[in-house]
Amino acid sequence: MKVILIGDSGHARVIADNVISNGDTVIARLDDKYTELEKRNDCWYGPSSSVHELIRDEQAKVIIAIGANAIRRKIVDKLNLSDEQYATIIHKDALVSPSAKLGHGTVVMPGVIVNAAATVGSHVILNTRLVIEHDCLIGDYAHVSPGAMITGGVTVGDGVHIGAGATVIPTKTIGAWSTIGAGSVVIDNIEAQSTAVGVPARVIKTADQTVSTTNRKV
Ligand SMILES: CC(C)(COP(=O)(O)OP(=O)(O)OC[C@H]1O[C@@H](n2cnc3c(N)ncnc32)[C@H](O)[C@@H]1OP(=O)(O)O)[C@@H](O)C(=O)NCCC(=O)NCCS
């Protein structure tokens, strides 16, 4: 498979490694820091708007290789590609249950385990060595960071960012576009657009950006 990466920063380099280790080829790295399309060392570099001609000429698939969830969504909306024009990248050293489902544009990094009947949406990042347990639902544009433990039956809403090493106990729901701090342990449902940190995780920011320090246990 030929792959076009949108984005050319650290996260894109990690995804490029995944693509190459699977025996596939990165044929382009597009980023709006480039103004013109040019070929260097067998790879195209240019603005993201070049994606349409490259897909047509090279019959390649696309990954939005940008870590920030909201920006990933914005670019997907802007490019207006069909679902089939996106790749799904699963590193050869990830374990994905045959009964799990993964959406288009989603990337699964090395060492990840996705267990039975989990459903993972589109344009999701499942980062290095995390666990998605059985029956979890992971929404579109979510990013679950390295080493996180999402236990059975958890629902992670669209655009959620789960920090590195965080744990969510079974059947809890993290509302859309929320953030869970690195190392936190979520034992309650978390409202949409909140930030929760600590062990156990307490909400420190809500949708209207109110910062609540009183809600935290020290
Ligand atoms: C949760 C997070 C997004 C908060 O960032 P922020 O909004 O800039 O918040 P601040 O750094 O101002 O911290 C606000 C408060 O929360 C505390 N806090 C922040 N992150 C915390 C965490 N992970 N665990 C416990 N407490 C945390 C701070 O100590 C601070 O407490 P105080 O008000 O008593 O001083 C960030 O700290 C975090 O953990 N990000 C995850 C990063 C990650 O894992 N990236 C993976 C990339 S692959």
Side-chain angles (χ1 to χ4, degrees), residues 81-115:
L81 302 175
S82 67
D83 294 353
E84 296 70 37
Q85 287 173 309
Y86 286 102
T88 300
I89 306 282
I90 304 170
H91 191 279
K92 64 178 174 46
D93 296 328
L95 289 177
V96 177
S97 162
S99 62
K101 292 194 182 96
L102 301 177
H104 57 270
T106 286
V107 185
V108 181
M109 304 288 192
V112 164
I113 297 177
V114 180
N115 250 328

Side-chain angles (χ1 to χ4, degrees), residues 137-148:
L137 289 174
I138 311 292
D140 298 341
Y141 304 104
H143 175 187
V144 187
S145 296

